[in-house]
Structures are given as C-alpha cells and as structure tokens.
C-alpha cells in the first residue's frame, strides 16, 4: 500500500479554471504538508496542517486553499489557475510534534500544466 | 528567514566518496538538519537527520560542526543509482510559525 498517495498524477487545464488535488496518507501521521516544485527544481513549502489545524501558511496567493477533512487527508484547491501555477505539487506527512525534527514522507507528486 | 545554500551540482566517479555541504547560518537552537534524496519523477526520500556532531546510518553519514552553521552529507562509495538531487532541510522560526526551508538542492551525477 502506498503510504502517501496523491491524485491525480497529471493535471492539464486551461487558465482560469478551478482544480483540486487530493492527498491521503495511511501512516497515522498527525501532520501533512503541501510543497510546490517549479521548473528550476526549487522545493518550497506552501502549507502544513497538524490534526486538521493550519500551522504553516507560507506566502501563497489566496487562490490556493488547503482543506483537511480529517488528519489523513489534505486536499489542495486552486482557483482561477494561472500559467505560473504550472509545477509539480508534492504532498507529504510526518508523525507530528516538532515540525523541525520530523521526517517527512512524500507522495509521488502531481504535475500541473496550465495552458 | 533561515536559508540554506548548497552547491548546484557535483560530479563523481563510481566508487568514490562524495561530500555535499549545506550552509545554514541562521539555524535555530531547536532545529534539526535533515537530508533528502530525490530521483526524477519521484518525491523526496529521507536519507539522514542530525542535530550535532556525527550521525551515521546504512546509507550515509552526516557531519555537523559545533557551531551548526553548516552540515556535510557524506555518501561512501557512490554508485550510478546514487545519481539524484540531494536537499538539505532545516526548520526555522518565522512569523509565528515554523518554516521548512529546503536548500535549492545539489544535483549529483555519478559517472561510470
């Protein structure tokens, strides 16, 4: 069984559309994350939730809205997609406690292409 | 904001030891240093984590000097399958929440 799974793996859409990426972890972890990796391979944290509560919220356009229905799921909804949103988005989870210490387990990524 | 600095790329021949250094001058007292490995079209994978001095596991060693402002990931006797991007991660306080800053990554190319 995949520990951290993201769907879809690929997402191609037009500018202005709204899309969602889903993430689920079966590791029993308390903390989940969303990262964005751009074409230059920079990996930047976007959000982090601990037990369904937002604990990290980086400088991200408010078109991006994370939603955590339970601690095993952290979905990412993006409104009014722009060309610059094209990237690979990674979901991750960790056990909880000190965010700075915890080892993160990453999903395989969702490659978003905005046309 | 904490920032990390790593070499953009490194080349090595198979069988050699590779050392990748990460600078993190603003590391906070409670922060740990974690290294991840990423292969193309995959998510990053944990390699090793440490707080100070030296840590060793079956894959790598991590050397951290007393001032903790840098760390060095050491990969013994690399093989072609070690070709990947290696990221250094430290946590740092900022704006009321902890921020996780990945280094820009070091692309290691292992040459036969």
């Amino acid at each position: 069984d995949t520990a951290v799974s993201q769907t879809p793996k690929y997402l191609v859409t037009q500018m202005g559309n709204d899309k969602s990426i889903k993430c689920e972890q079966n590791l029993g972890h308390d903390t989940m994350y969303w990262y964005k990796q751009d074409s230059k391979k920079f990996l930047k944290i976007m959000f982090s939730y601990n037990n369904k509560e937002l604990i990290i919220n980086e400088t991200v356009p408010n078109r991006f809205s994370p939603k955590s229905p339970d601690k095993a799921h952290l979905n990412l909804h993006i409104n009014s997609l722009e060309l610059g949103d094209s990237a690979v988005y990674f979901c991750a989870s960790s056990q909880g406690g000190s965010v700075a210490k915890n080892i993160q387990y990453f999903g395989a990524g969702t490659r978003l292409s905005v046309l | 904001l904490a920032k990390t600095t790593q070499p953009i790329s490194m080349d090595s021949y198979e069988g050699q030891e590779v050392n990748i250094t990460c600078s993190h001058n603003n590391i906070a007292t409670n922060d740990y240093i974690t290294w991840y490995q990423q292969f193309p079209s995959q998510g990053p994978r944990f390699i090793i984590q440490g707080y100070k001095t030296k840590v060793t596991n079956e894959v790598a060693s991590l050397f951290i000097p007393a001032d903790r402002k840098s760390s060095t990931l050491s990969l013994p006797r690399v093989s072609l399958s070690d070709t990947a991007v290696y990221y250094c991660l430290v946590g740092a306080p900022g704006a009321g929440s902890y921020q996780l800053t990945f280094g820009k990554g070091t692309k290691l190319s292992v040459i036969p």
Side-chain angles (χ1 to χ4, degrees):
Chain A
D1 283 344
T2 304
V4 180
S5 59
Q6 300 177 225
T7 54
K9 189 171 178 61
Y10 299 97
L11 185 52
V12 181
T13 188
Q14 300 287 332
M15 281 177 57
N17 284 349
D18 302 338
K19 291 293 179 184
S20 293
I21 306 172
K22 296 184 177 180
C23 180
E24 176 182 5
Q25 54 95 2
N26 62 6
L27 298 167
H29 287 166
D30 291 331
T31 306
M32 296 185 71
Y33 313 79
W34 275 109
Y35 286 86
K36 179 181 180 181
Q37 187 167 46
D38 60 25
S39 58
K40 296 182 179 179
K41 304 299 183 184
F42 299 160
L43 191 60
K44 297 181 181 179
I45 182 99
M46 299 174 68
F47 302 102
S48 178
Y49 272 70
N50 181 265
N51 278 322
K52 302 195 305 176
E53 290 190 17
L54 183 66
I55 57 171
I56 294 177
N57 186 359
E58 282 299 286
T59 306
V60 175
N62 57 16
R63 298 182 295 103
F64 290 78
S65 54
K67 287 184 171 52
S68 182
D70 55 60
K71 75 173 192 177
H73 296 83
L74 181 61
N75 304 322
L76 184 64
H77 189 76
I78 314 170
N79 290 325
S80 303
L81 278 156
E82 300 177 356
L83 293 177
D85 297 332
S86 295
V88 181
Y89 292 84
F90 287 101
C91 177
S93 72
S94 67
Q95 197 164 8
S98 165
V99 170
K101 179 181 178 181
N102 274 294
I103 297 166
Q104 297 176 66
Y105 294 80
F106 284 80
T110 296
R111 183 174 295 276
L112 172 64
S113 298
V114 182
L115 307 178
Chain B
L1 297 179
K3 292 185 179 179
T4 57
T5 304
Q6 302 174 232
I8 293 174
S9 63
M10 296 181 70
D11 293 335
S12 176
Y13 288 102
E14 275 191 290
Q16 289 189 330
E17 178 184 76
V18 171
N19 295 310
I20 306 174
T21 297
C22 178
S23 298
H24 28 78
N25 291 321
N26 296 332
I27 189 169
T29 303
N30 296 329
D31 290 337
Y32 281 70
I33 301 155
T34 311
W35 284 80
Y36 290 83
Q37 175 191 56
Q38 186 177 25
F39 297 113
S41 301
Q42 294 186 25
R45 184 180 72 169
F46 169 81
I47 301 176
I48 197 166
Q49 184 182 74
Y51 183 80
K52 61 181 180 180
T53 62
K54 177 184 175 182
V55 179
T56 297
N57 62 21
E58 65 279 5
V59 176
S61 295
L62 180 59
F63 298 92
I64 305 169
D67 66 6
R68 304 200 330 121
K69 293 187 176 182
S70 66
S71 58
T72 299
L73 173 72
S74 181
L75 305 172
R77 298 179 297 282
V78 294
S79 65
L80 296 177
S81 62
D82 292 318
T83 294
V85 178
Y86 292 82
Y87 290 95
C88 167
L89 174 66
V90 297
S97 65
Y98 280 86
Q99 298 177 11
L100 300 172
T101 305
F102 273 73
K104 294 180 180 179
T106 299
K107 185 175 182 179
L108 173 65
S109 299
V110 180
I111 306 164

